[in-house]
């Protein structure tokens, strides 16, 4: 049987040097995705060239990313609850250096395929309002594969990355679903990283020491045993090597955010999921409900925090 919460890592549990958290193949049983999170105060973190593609995602603040003899300036945002940010994709084979003020994440996937680096501006990020009623959430699809109706924003080799904002009291990653076996046209085999942040709901008269949190769950599928049932706070990370995952639930007083990073062993970069058949029916209930009127979340202040 799976050990309870063995794939859940509280903030700082994966620290490595200047990085608050590092997820990579050094973790037993993990091989297709990676993530790094750092908090910078004008200093610089560097990553070497190699067979790895990366996306730099400002969580809060603004940053400069040096790569391929040039510098990409990321305007960033005040917080993850201020809607999408601009990001930069740095193709495999390139070193990079990140400097600035604030919190920054780097999504990674090992690959030998070389794709051109690209800056995606904030207003180029597709914003999707998914679900309805208390299942309403906001998704920033800046690095997801294309389909018949959309060419996709980023032509990456393996990385699939998006952000989700779940307003206070709502549910996301719901219904529970999986992507742990390769079924052409139906399901992709993908590892997934969840990086969380939480904060008092907009306009709340919350004290400085308010303990903002949400919750997240995973459970077994035919691919393997997994059991996560954790309260999640800013900086926490949950890994999903296989199994059903969801829901992610925002407490009534706190908004919840997560950054998803996915990649897998398949040659096709595709994001195809299978709902838990016992929960799939709830999607049909959305047609009779309105989208949460609090969405979309857009900036509440001008410019990024500095």
């Amino acid at each position: 049987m799976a050990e309870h919460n063995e794939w859940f890592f509280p903030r700082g549990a994966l620290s490595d040097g200047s990085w608050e958290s590092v997820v990579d193949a050094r973790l037993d049983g993990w091989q297709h995705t990676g993530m790094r999170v750092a908090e910078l105060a004008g200093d610089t973190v560097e990553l070497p060239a190699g067979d790895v593609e990366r996306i730099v995602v400002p969580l809060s603040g603004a940053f400069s990313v040096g790569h391929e003899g040039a510098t990409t300036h990321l305007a960033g945002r005040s917080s993850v609850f201020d809607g999408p940010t601009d990001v930069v994709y740095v193709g495999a084979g390139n070193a990079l250096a990140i400097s600035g003020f604030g919190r920054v994440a780097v999504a990674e996937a090992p690959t030998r395929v070389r794709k051109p680096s690209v800056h995606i501006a904030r207003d180029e990020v597709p914003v999707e309002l998914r679900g309805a009623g208390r299942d309403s959430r906001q998704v920033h699809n800046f690095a997801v594969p294309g389909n018949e109706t959309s060419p996709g924003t980023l032509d990456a080799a393996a990385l699939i990355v998006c952000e989700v904002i779940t307003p206070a009291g709502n549910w996301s990653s719901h219904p529970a679903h999986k992507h742990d076996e390769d079924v052409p046209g139906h399901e992709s085999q993908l590892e997934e990283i969840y990086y969380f942040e939480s904060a008092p709901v907009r306009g709340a008269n919350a004290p400085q020491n308010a303990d903002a949190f949400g919750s997240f769950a995973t459970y077994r599928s035919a691919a393997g045993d997994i059991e996560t049932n954790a309260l999640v706070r800013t900086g926490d990370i949950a890994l999903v090597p296989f199994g059903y995952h969801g829901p992610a639930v925002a407490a009534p007083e706190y908004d919840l955010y997560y950054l998803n990073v996915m990649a897998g062993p398949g040659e096709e970069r595709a994001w195809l999921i299978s709902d838990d058949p016992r929960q799939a029916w709830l999607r049909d209930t959305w047609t009779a409900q309105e989208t949460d009127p609090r969405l979309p979340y857009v900036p509440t202040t001008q410019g990024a925090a500095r």
Side-chain angles (χ1 to χ4, degrees):
M1 295 295 292
E3 181 183 343
H4 185 65
N5 285 358
E6 65 179 316
W7 292 102
F8 173 71
F9 300 90
R11 182 175 184 171
L14 297 174
S15 63
D16 185 0
S18 299
W19 298 97
E20 176 183 290
S21 297
V22 176
V23 176
D24 60 20
R26 288 174 293 179
L27 290 173
D28 188 31
W30 203 255
Q31 57 183 321
H32 301 297
T33 60
M35 176 181 285
R36 296 169 181 269
V37 178
E39 185 144 5
L40 303 181
D43 45 329
T44 300
V45 288
E46 298 182 352
L47 292 170
D51 290 334
V52 56
E53 60 181 354
R54 302 178 172 107
I55 302 177
V56 181
V57 183
L59 300 170
S60 63
F63 302 91
S64 295
V65 182
H67 60 100
E68 301 160 89
T71 301
T72 298
H73 298 287
L74 296 176
R77 55 191 166 184
S78 295
S79 85
V80 295
F81 300 105
D82 272 356
T85 179
D86 57 340
V87 303
V88 63
Y89 169 82
V90 180
N94 297 303
L96 58 86
I98 307 168
S99 59
F101 294 83
R103 289 179 63 78
V104 63
V106 183
E108 301 180 333
T111 180
R112 294 180 179 176
V113 177
R114 271 44 178 169
K115 295 281 188 176
S117 300
V118 61
H119 174 230
I120 300 173
R122 180 179 185 139
D123 60 7
E124 295 175 329
V125 175
V127 177
E128 174 190 2
L129 300 186
R130 187 178 298 169
R134 285 300 183 184
D135 292 333
S136 299
R137 58 273 207 182
Q138 177 172 327
V139 186
H140 304 152
N141 291 315
F142 56 81
V144 300
N147 53 39
E148 295 82 0
T149 59
S150 172
T153 307
L154 175 66
D155 179 27
L159 271 173
I160 300 172
V161 187
C162 67
E163 301 178 308
V164 180
I165 297 173
T166 309
N170 286 11
W171 292 43
S172 58
S173 282
H174 186 56
H177 56 282
K178 71 182 186 76
H179 37 70
D180 57 19
E181 58 180 325
D182 182 17
V183 182
H186 178 68
E187 186 176 339
S188 311
Q189 185 180 353
L190 301 168
E191 288 180 343
E192 184 164 16
I193 301 170
Y194 279 73
Y195 163 83
F196 295 96
E197 295 204 8
S198 188
V201 66
R202 289 183 171 196
N205 186 23
Q208 288 293 321
N209 64 346
D211 182 22
F213 68 93
S215 66
F216 179 71
T218 69
Y219 54 96
R220 78 175 310 277
S221 71
D225 285 333
I226 186 170
E227 182 183 4
T228 305
N229 188 7
L231 296 183
V232 295
R233 299 171 170 86
T234 294
D236 292 350
I237 291 174
L239 303 183
V240 186
F242 44 71
Y244 288 105
H245 41 290
V249 183
E253 298 80 13
Y254 303 122
D255 290 332
L256 183 67
Y257 160 96
Y258 48 89
L259 175 65
N260 284 145
V261 180
M262 291 172 279
E267 293 185 3
E268 182 184 7
R269 178 175 172 253
W271 183 15
L272 301 174
I273 68 172
S274 295
D275 290 336
D276 182 333
R278 300 166 298 179
Q279 304 295 335
W281 67 273
L282 68 85
R283 291 187 186 271
D284 295 334
T285 68
W286 296 345
T287 59
Q289 301 179 69
E290 299 293 329
T291 301
D292 190 319
R294 292 174 293 179
L295 297 177
Y297 275 26
V298 296
T300 55
T301 57
Q302 295 296 317
R306 304 260 179 189

